[in-house]
Amino acid sequence: MADRALPPLPPPSPEPAVSAAALGSPLQPLPLPPARRAPHDTYVVQVRKYQIYRVPPPENAYLAERYRNERAGGGGKGRCAGSSPACSPCLLRTLGAALATAVLVAAAVAISVGVLRPGVPSFSVDRLTVSNATRQHRTDYDFFLTAVNPNKMTALWYRDGKARLLHHGTTLASGDMGDPELGGEDATDFSVLLHGARGGRAPKAVEKGLTGSKAAVALQLTVEVSVQVHVGALGFGVKRLAVDCEISAAGLRKYVHISSQKCKSRFGN
């Protein structure tokens, strides 16, 4: 029994032979095993809104500054350069400002010229009435004058004045200018009553005309009156106006027929 033979051991399993071709050249590295992929995980991060801080890029400040300058008019040159659509409003505003300035300057010049150098009004004698005041032993001459203002932008307001009636240099009567009757701005009517000298002897031609002669009598009416130039309700400097009328009358009865007349007027100093 003791000498019973044990069963033979199984031969060792032969190791697989690795050829040089499978291992490759000793200088080539062995291929790495494929990497294992990590499982995908999802994370939710909650951040409060007021804790989010953002810093704008520096170029934003430059763009904002340029935009403010253009709105304020400082960048109008850049906006209107070339054929930009913004050029049309800029051009219209510029033309409008230039036109308004030109209108204001023209109005100021016109008013200045009208005030400093107004046109001289023209006078005419519309009617002459002669009356004899027997109690005072004098002859009164009642003239009705019309003054036409040639100025379109200014009005002429007449103040106090004096008038004289002469015949070849001899004073026949004198008196004050009456107040304007109508008070219009373009045409103003005056009634000027001149009183002759008491007991004075008139020239021969005047005496004949007063007694009924129809012979022509030469008369000269001179008027000096103060005139103030007005633009609306604004009154400016007062000027002295001198009027000289050469009249030819057919007799000197109550209602005198004026054959001819020529009136000149000018502003004095």
Side-chain angles (χ1 to χ4, degrees), residues 150-162:
N151 306 287
K152 300 302 181 182
M153 299 181 59
T154 58
L156 300 179
W157 290 15
Y158 297 91
R159 307 298 185 185
D160 58 323
K162 295 184 177 297

Side-chain angles (χ1 to χ4, degrees), residues 55-87:
V55 179
E59 57 268 17
N60 285 13
Y62 169 74
L63 295 176
E65 184 69 19
R66 189 177 68 175
Y67 177 75
R68 284 194 297 267
N69 292 339
E70 291 178 354
R71 291 295 299 273
K77 183 176 179 180
R79 293 177 61 190
C80 287
S83 58
S84 174
C87 186

Side-chain angles (χ1 to χ4, degrees), residues 75-264:
K77 183 176 179 180
R79 293 177 61 190
C80 287
S83 58
S84 174
C87 186
S88 180
C90 291
L91 182 60
L92 292 178
R93 285 195 294 267
T94 304
L95 292 178
L99 181 60
T101 303
V103 170
L104 291 177
V105 171
V109 171
I111 292 176
S112 300
V113 172
V115 170
L116 299 177
R117 301 181 60 184
V120 180
S122 59
F123 279 75
S124 62
V125 180
D126 295 336
R127 187 175 63 249
L128 170 59
T129 304
V130 178
S131 60
N132 293 318
T134 56
R135 292 184 180 182
Q136 289 83 10
H137 301 283
R138 72 184 186 194
T139 303
D140 295 336
Y141 302 85
D142 189 3
F143 285 88
F144 190 78
L145 306 178
T146 298
V148 179
N149 179 19
N151 306 287
K152 300 302 181 182
M153 299 181 59
T154 58
L156 300 179
W157 290 15
Y158 297 91
R159 307 298 185 185
D160 58 323
K162 295 184 177 297
R164 287 194 311 160
L165 181 64
L166 301 93
H167 172 74
H168 295 307
T170 302
T171 301
L172 301 178
S174 61
D176 296 332
M177 282 282 294
D179 295 331
E181 291 191 359
L182 299 180
E185 295 183 359
D186 295 334
T188 306
D189 297 333
F190 299 91
S191 181
V192 183
L193 180 60
L194 305 181
H195 303 289
R198 294 183 180 181
R201 186 173 182 83
K204 186 175 181 180
V206 175
E207 289 286 353
K208 289 183 178 181
L210 292 174
T211 57
S213 173
K214 296 296 182 180
V217 180
L219 302 175
Q220 180 183 8
L221 177 65
T222 61
V223 177
E224 290 187 0
V225 60
S226 298
V227 179
Q228 187 176 29
V229 181
H230 274 251
V231 178
L234 299 178
F236 296 90
V238 178
K239 294 180 175 294
R240 199 68 179 172
L241 178 66
V243 183
D244 188 359
C245 294
E246 299 288 342
I247 304 170
S248 177
L252 293 176
R253 299 295 293 177
K254 184 175 183 179
Y255 300 106
V256 178
H257 174 69
I258 298 176
S259 303
S260 62
Q261 61 173 302
K262 183 178 180 181
C263 294
K264 297 180 181 181

Side-chain angles (χ1 to χ4, degrees), residues 49-55:
K49 184 176 181 180
Y50 64 85
Q51 291 182 349
I52 299 177
Y53 301 98
R54 297 179 181 177
V55 179

